[in-house]
Amino acid sequence: MDSMEYLQLLQKILVVSVSLYLFSKIIKHMATFINVGKEPLRVLVTGAAGQIGYSLVPMIAKGMMLGQDQPIILHLLDIEPAMEALNGVKMELIDSAFPLLKGVVATTNAMEACEDVDIAIMVGGYPRKEGMERKDVMSENVSIYKDQAAALEMNAAPNCKILVVANPANTNALILKEFAPSIPEKDITCLTRLDHNRALGQISEKLNVDVSYVKNVILWGNHSSTQYPDVNHATVITDSGEKSVNELVADDQWLKTEFITTVQQRGAAIIKARKLSSAMSAASAACDHIRDWVLGTPKGTWVSMGVYSDGSYGIPSGLIYSFPVTCEKGEWSIVQGLKIDEFSREKMDATAKELIEEKAIAHSCLN
Ligand SMILES: NC(=O)C1=CN([C@@H]2O[C@H](COP(=O)(O)OP(=O)(O)OC[C@H]3O[C@@H](n4cnc5c(N)ncnc54)[C@H](O)[C@@H]3O)[C@@H](O)[C@H]2O)C=CC1
Ligand SMILES: O=C([O-])CC(=O)C(=O)O
């Protein structure tokens, strides 16, 4: 082959490659546009007539949780006194004409609500009011999670991913796990992503950097005022590479006091200000939690999830405890090997101790 023929061959290969690339892009775009290709996933939201539910369902229907190419069928559960409001939510979902939304089931029957669901976001329950701790709503809420465990166990799709949001979130998730023994423990989690996001927000404000440049904070333990937001391994992406948050903040006193209490008490501060507990940020965090679990965490980044302890970092098993996790192919795994100093150890153990106490109170409420 002479050099002219060789050049012509290269040119042809280039034209074919570019055409194939463009063709695949067009097909992908069209598939997204008309939502072909993927079967709808069924997503259950309990407590859907409440304030988190009202913020959450449009986020799910707009693809913020499972992606812009994933059709959804929403299953909405609430209790009889809220049925009229629930129907109102259903009407608004229809009126929003969300292209990804392929159906809405609105019901007060837990068995019907759980039928074949792939994802279950358990928000139903009673929120705390000003002056209460989250465990003060324990007696009302744990019995809900005992009853709904059975409905999920009997009717949800195999490998349904469950996220408990209602407080006390870790202990409700544990009760759900105990009363649904056939659901694998890897599929039952609770929401601590809101606290994780609050920690990112505080660091971003302190350093006056875009929040998306801050990563790898950790929220250890209980979604309660004993939670431990930890920045010892957190970094900020800067023009000259990743720098540690400790180094950039350069104020150990602030990080060990005000930062921690601000994150721990943020829920209470919002109740004081709004006279209602967080809803928009809770709904957004629930989307983040499920999105990262299903679609994976970005390379080099971890997030915080309340998961069943396997004894990692000396945290007793038999608790749902918030750990740093990475997610891949729909599975979470606890980040291993992080160095824990004495200050952190104490805080991690204190929040584990509270979870042990909550577990005992929950069991006594159910007897
Ligand atoms: N883990 C977290 O980060 C956060 C958790 N929460 C918790 O989420 C829960 C919901 O909060 P909001 O939406 O603000 O409360 P809300 O009172 O506005 O809504 C709760 C809904 O649950 C319904 N409900 C009660 N019992 C039910 C049952 N057995 N089955 C189905 N639905 C039932 C109620 O009728 C109501 O519509 C509360 O427990 C709150 O403390 C709130 C913010 C953040
Ligand atoms: O504080 C509350 O009761 C609601 C909640 O869990 C939060 O905002 O973190």
Side-chain angles (χ1 to χ4, degrees), residues 22 43 47 70 234 238 258 275 305 350 360:
L22 289 176
V43 182
Q70 179 57 65
T238 72
E258 200 182 323
K275 312 293 170 230
M305 280 169 66

Side-chain angles (χ1 to χ4, degrees), residues 47 50-52 78-79 123-127 144 148 165-167 191 223 278:
Q51 50 149 7
I52 296 178
D78 213 296
I79 48 175
V123 186
Y126 296 93
I144 297 177
Q148 292 180 356
V165 175
N167 281 313
L191 188 71
H223 174 64
S278 329

Side-chain angles (χ1 to χ4, degrees), residues 4 14 31 33 55 88 96 103 124 134 145-146 178 180 195 199 203 217 224 241 277 288 302 308 310 315 321 324 362:
M4 191 50 133
L14 191 68
F33 189 65
S55 286
S96 302
R134 293 181 183 101
Y145 286 84
K146 178 182 168 194
E178 289 178 356
D195 314 287
I203 297 298
V217 298
S224 75
S277 61
D288 290 347
W302 64 63
Y308 194 67
D310 61 355
I315 301 304
Y321 188 97

